[in-house]
Amino acid sequence: MEINITKPFLPPFDKYLDKIKEIWNTNTLSNMGPLHEEFEDAVKQYTQDSQCILVCNGHLALELLIKSMNLTGEVITTPFTFVSTTNAIVRNGLRPVFCDIRREDFTLDPNEIEEKITDKTSAILPVHVYGNPCQTEQIQKIAQKHHLKVIYDAAHAFGVTEKGKYIASFGDASILSFHATKPMHSVEGGAVVCNDTQIAEKIRRLRNFGIDGEDVTEIGINAKMNEFQAAMGLCSLAYFDACMQRRKKLVECYEQHLSDLPGIEMQKLRADVKYNYAYLPIRVTETAGISRDALLLGLEEKGIHTRKYFYPLTCDMTCYKELGKGLELPAARQAAKEVLTLPLYDELTEDEVKGICLEIKSVVYGTQRENVLKGKYE
Ligand SMILES: *Cc1c(COP(=O)(O)O)cnc(C)c1O
């Protein structure tokens, strides 16, 4: 068996060809061409935001969004994320203040936020990790009380709704990623979504060098999405709902076949959330009698590629070590030690999922048996 952790979605070749044929008619390759505008509208409609600003990747969406808000000093954020989140804060000259997460869903713990607030704090930057909605109501209350901005990294959360509301509509603004490994993609790509016309106008300028008519009013960058990316985005979006349904079935299949394995925990899904099933994180707890790292290696030997997503915490990475020094963050550290993400992509079959679950059991039981033989349980 040879199974990858993920496999990017590719639309039927003909569909993509049909779409890019339009580029040969318009002779426009970049700079907000017709496909770009079509994709921007489609994302806006899908996420029910009044503003959508496409950019060439999710990271630059976050960097530009932070820049557009003229933040100062400190930003409270999570260390249990992809390094892009922390990089975007630091590259804007701001200091990330790392806050612990909730054990249940890996998102920023609102009960820990307030004690991190100082007179330098200007914003909170939570992440909807694995597409799990943050505690948006509580976070909003804290932000209002202390006059802070809230920026959501919704890179994982395209298509997710909470109580019928699209995730991208929470906080002051959110960013989406359309990277090839994300649930909906444009090869590389990203967007800022919000309901604030001023932020939107500013980001539209910043993604295009800061150009404002003949003048340049602030120092921007080139972060434009091109027509080929937009064409892939439109094709990918057309299949997104169907992909989500297929991945839901696969997650249910994993649940069914792993539920009887003590110490291996899947996330409890909330009834008021529509998930996008972008990732499948499991926790390998002490009860399992095997470490997460040993399970990863055991599966690797069988050709099943899983991932420690996220390990290490960003505050423990070499470039941020100074910032992470002395921080306890017990829930985040435990998650970084226990979480393994399993293969999940829409071409995966239920038989393959059953096979993966059997191999997980065989590695777990094998290790337990070895431990008994070694007298570890005496
Ligand atoms: C993927 C990702 C990003 C950055 O997106 P790109 O499109 O790859 O630049 C930001 N934050 C998180 C949490 C991500 O997973």
Side-chain angles (χ1 to χ4, degrees):
M1 193 150 46
E2 190 69 28
I3 296 183
N4 264 328
I5 173 91
T6 189
K7 199 168 176 183
F9 170 79
L10 279 172
F13 189 50
D14 290 351
K15 299 274 183 200
Y16 188 61
L17 278 186
D18 281 348
K19 208 74 214 163
I20 61 172
K21 253 189 208 135
E22 295 175 28
I23 300 175
W24 268 254
N25 294 331
T26 62
N27 225 308
T28 302
L29 305 189
S30 188
N31 288 52
M32 288 59 93
L35 291 177
H36 178 282
E37 300 303 284
E38 190 183 336
F39 185 40
E40 209 165 68
D41 275 345
V43 172
K44 193 164 71 182
Q45 261 186 21
Y46 199 95
T47 57
Q48 295 182 4
D49 284 284
S50 65
Q51 301 290 332
C52 168
I53 310 97
L54 291 179
V55 289
C56 58
N57 60 58
H59 177 79
L60 281 173
L62 191 54
E63 258 195 53
L64 294 184
L65 175 57
I66 295 170
K67 185 173 166 66
S68 76
M69 290 192 162
N70 300 321
L71 303 178
T72 56
E74 299 173 355
V75 176
I76 295 173
T77 189
T78 169
F80 190 71
T81 182
F82 182 53
V83 69
S84 167
T85 317
T86 310
N87 284 357
I89 295 170
V90 175
R91 287 172 53 82
N92 269 289
L94 302 162
R95 182 186 175 88
V97 173
F98 297 105
C99 178
D100 209 2
I101 59 171
R102 285 154 45 87
R103 195 185 184 285
E104 305 90 297
D105 58 14
F106 311 100
T107 65
L108 204 63
D109 187 345
N111 299 319
E112 301 283 327
I113 293 176
E114 276 196 290
E115 67 180 56
K116 301 273 178 186
I117 296 175
T118 70
D119 53 3
K120 296 201 186 78
T121 311
S122 60
I124 308 172
L125 204 170
V127 180
H128 302 300
V129 197
Y130 310 127
N132 294 337
C134 293
Q135 299 296 296
T136 49
E137 278 172 32
Q138 253 179 295
I139 291 172
Q140 203 57 43
K141 271 192 199 133
I142 296 168
Q144 261 159 12
K145 185 171 153 200
H146 298 273
H147 310 288
L148 305 175
K149 299 281 186 197
V150 183
I151 296 172
Y152 281 106
D153 181 339
H156 294 181
F158 185 81
V160 174
T161 65
E162 185 192 32
K163 301 183 185 110
K165 271 187 86 175
Y166 277 87
I167 278 300
S169 66
F170 293 108
D172 290 282
S174 302
I175 69 103
L176 299 166
S177 165
F178 305 138
H179 182 259
T181 57
K182 298 278 157 60
M184 203 278 289
H185 80 89
S186 58
V187 188
E188 294 263 8
V192 173
V193 285
C194 63
N195 291 315
D196 185 321
T197 49
Q198 267 181 322
I199 292 175
E201 276 172 25
K202 207 158 173 186
I203 290 168
R204 289 208 169 90
R205 286 195 297 272
L206 288 173
R207 77 174 166 191
N208 190 27
F209 306 99
I211 294 171
D212 187 3
E214 285 186 322
D215 198 9
V216 173
T217 45
E218 54 204 319
I219 305 163
I221 198 169
N222 180 0
K224 301 187 301 290
M225 177 182 278
N226 68 50
E227 290 290 275
F228 289 87
Q229 287 172 291
M232 183 59 87
L234 283 162
C235 290
S236 179
L237 184 57
Y239 291 88
F240 176 69
D241 285 329
C243 289
M244 211 163 30
Q245 283 309 317
R246 271 203 298 280
R247 283 202 301 261
K248 180 173 195 270
K249 283 235 159 61
L250 296 172
V251 169
E252 285 164 358
C253 188
Y254 269 116
E255 239 155 27
Q256 190 190 339
H257 292 275
L258 288 179
S259 60
D260 57 344
L261 196 54
I264 302 287
E265 289 178 11
M266 294 197 42
Q267 305 191 100
K268 282 197 188 63
L269 300 184
R270 285 166 49 186
D272 59 352
V273 172
K274 184 177 125 243
Y275 292 92
N276 63 10
Y277 304 93
Y279 301 89
L280 190 77
I282 58 165
R283 269 181 192 273
V284 185
T285 68
E286 221 170 337
T287 323
I290 183 174
S291 70
R292 184 270 315 268
D293 291 0
L295 179 56
L296 180 144
L297 286 177
L299 290 172
E300 199 69 28
E301 275 171 21
K302 293 166 189 279
I304 299 168
H305 305 289
T306 60
R307 198 172 159 202
K308 296 190 260 181
Y309 196 61
F310 302 96
Y311 174 87
L313 298 179
T314 65
C315 63
D316 292 337
M317 289 171 173
T318 300
C319 62
Y320 294 127
K321 252 190 193 145
E322 285 305 311
L323 292 171
K325 242 182 205 163
L327 290 177
E328 289 195 4
L329 309 168
R333 290 203 192 284
Q334 193 177 8
K337 191 173 148 223
E338 290 183 346
V339 170
L340 190 66
T341 46
L342 301 181
L344 185 64
Y345 48 91
D346 60 275
E347 268 181 44
L348 195 68
T349 65
E350 294 197 24
D351 280 339
E352 284 173 317
V353 170
K354 282 179 207 163
I356 294 167
C357 294
L358 279 177
E359 295 292 10
I360 290 174
K361 285 178 183 172
S362 122
V363 175
V364 171
Y365 294 144
T367 306
Q368 287 173 353
R369 198 164 49 235
E370 276 170 33
N371 286 342
V372 170
L373 292 176
K374 279 188 216 148
K376 275 200 182 168
Y377 286 154
E378 278 174 10

